Amino acid sequence: MSSSLGLKRFYKTASAEQQGDGYVVLLDGRVVKTPEQEPLLLPTMGLAKAVAAEWDAQGKEIKPSEMPMMTLACTAVDWVGAARPPVEESISAYAAHDLVCYWDASDAELLSKQKEVWQPLLDWTALTFDAPLVTTSGLISIDQPEDALRALHNTVCTFSNMELAVLSAIVRTGGSLVIGLALLKGHLNVEKAQQAVLLHEMFQIERWGADEEAEQRHVNILTEFRTAMKFLTLSRD
């Protein structure tokens, strides 16, 4: 995010305009830059307007936590754009230990829920990307087929910088590349994705009830997914 963050508001108006083949955000006519001092060049006017609206909504103090579109855009430019191969590797690495591959067979009802929610995702991944992943019971790590890992890595490499910023946010929040790909490809909506990520937790809550910390975590995950998908939609329109 811009190096000006953490300061008092220093501008009157924020706007968006086309510049070359992309779109930029202007603060009193000056182009917003990333923390690495790169021009924040965005792929669509819709996304540029959304980022400008976040700047416009700031009060006397600039609060980065209230600017998720700006944060994701800077991630795409500074982190993904600066070094794609390491980013691709870090995202793809989740497939080797994907959440949906680690089942709990100690409870018949929980096992049934895993089969209902996770198995269709694994089937979809195998069919869509030619990447069949294997499952295990318990937390002991298992090796995934090299061909499947390679196929998923190749899939990750097909996304744009903006899409990779979104995928990274989703995968790191949920611990699952499978769920992240299902969201980006439109196979899951955010509510279903949240349910898949929290399958074990929700099962325990149904039995024992939720505490305030767990409920806040669930809200945070849903909010993160919704924000990421809104960014994705705006970056594609």
Side-chain angles (χ1 to χ4, degrees):
M1 183 146 330
S2 173
S3 59
S4 58
L5 293 180
L7 303 176
K8 294 183 181 296
R9 181 165 175 157
F10 57 92
Y11 55 93
K12 292 183 179 180
T13 61
S15 59
E17 70 174 33
Q18 185 168 1
Q19 190 172 97
D21 294 331
Y23 302 85
V24 296
V25 176
L26 306 173
L27 303 179
D28 292 341
R30 299 181 65 181
V31 175
V32 169
K33 293 186 177 181
T34 70
E36 297 298 324
Q37 296 304 300
E38 294 291 334
L40 190 67
L41 192 64
L42 302 169
T44 68
M45 178 59 83
L47 183 57
K49 286 182 176 179
V51 174
E54 290 182 340
W55 283 98
D56 212 29
Q58 296 299 299
K60 293 181 179 179
E61 299 285 337
I62 298 172
K63 299 179 180 179
S65 62
E66 296 177 0
M67 306 174 75
M69 299 291 114
M70 175 68 182
T71 299
L72 280 167
C74 288
T75 298
V77 174
D78 280 351
W79 184 56
V80 181
R84 269 195 66 116
V87 172
E88 292 164 350
E89 289 288 347
S90 69
I91 297 172
S92 302
Y94 278 81
H97 309 284
D98 202 284
L99 170 73
V100 300
C101 294
Y102 289 82
W103 294 30
D104 185 343
S106 65
D107 185 289
E109 187 178 348
L110 177 56
L111 185 59
S112 177
K113 285 184 176 292
Q114 290 165 158
K115 289 179 179 178
E116 177 187 346
V117 176
W118 285 355
Q119 189 58 55
L121 287 172
L122 290 166
D123 294 341
W124 172 80
T125 301
L127 290 170
T128 304
F129 308 112
D130 193 20
L133 299 175
V134 297
T135 64
T136 186
S137 297
L139 299 177
I140 298 176
S141 180
I142 55 171
D143 292 331
Q144 295 291 349
E146 285 297 326
D147 287 348
L149 296 179
R150 190 178 304 109
L152 291 173
H153 177 266
N154 290 341
T155 297
V156 168
C157 294
T158 65
F159 291 113
S160 69
N161 290 355
M162 294 289 161
E163 290 169 330
L164 276 187
V166 169
L167 183 61
S168 177
I170 292 169
V171 170
R172 292 173 190 278
T173 297
S176 172
L177 178 60
V178 169
I179 293 172
L181 290 174
L183 262 175
L184 262 69
K185 293 293 186 179
H187 183 68
L188 286 181
N189 61 31
V190 291
E191 289 77 14
K192 292 293 185 182
Q194 183 217 35
Q195 291 169 15
V197 167
L198 296 172
L199 187 146
H200 284 181
E201 289 185 37
M202 295 304 295
F203 178 78
Q204 295 300 327
I205 286 171
E206 289 173 4
R207 288 194 167 183
W208 311 109
D211 57 35
E212 187 174 332
E213 184 177 342
E215 289 179 343
Q216 187 58 54
R217 167 175 149 77
H218 297 177
V219 169
N220 290 345
I221 289 174
L222 189 60
T223 300
E224 185 87 16
F225 284 0
R226 284 175 174 165
T227 298
M229 293 308 291
K230 179 181 178 181
F231 182 92
L232 181 69
T233 299
L234 288 170
S235 71
R236 289 173 169 176
D237 285 349

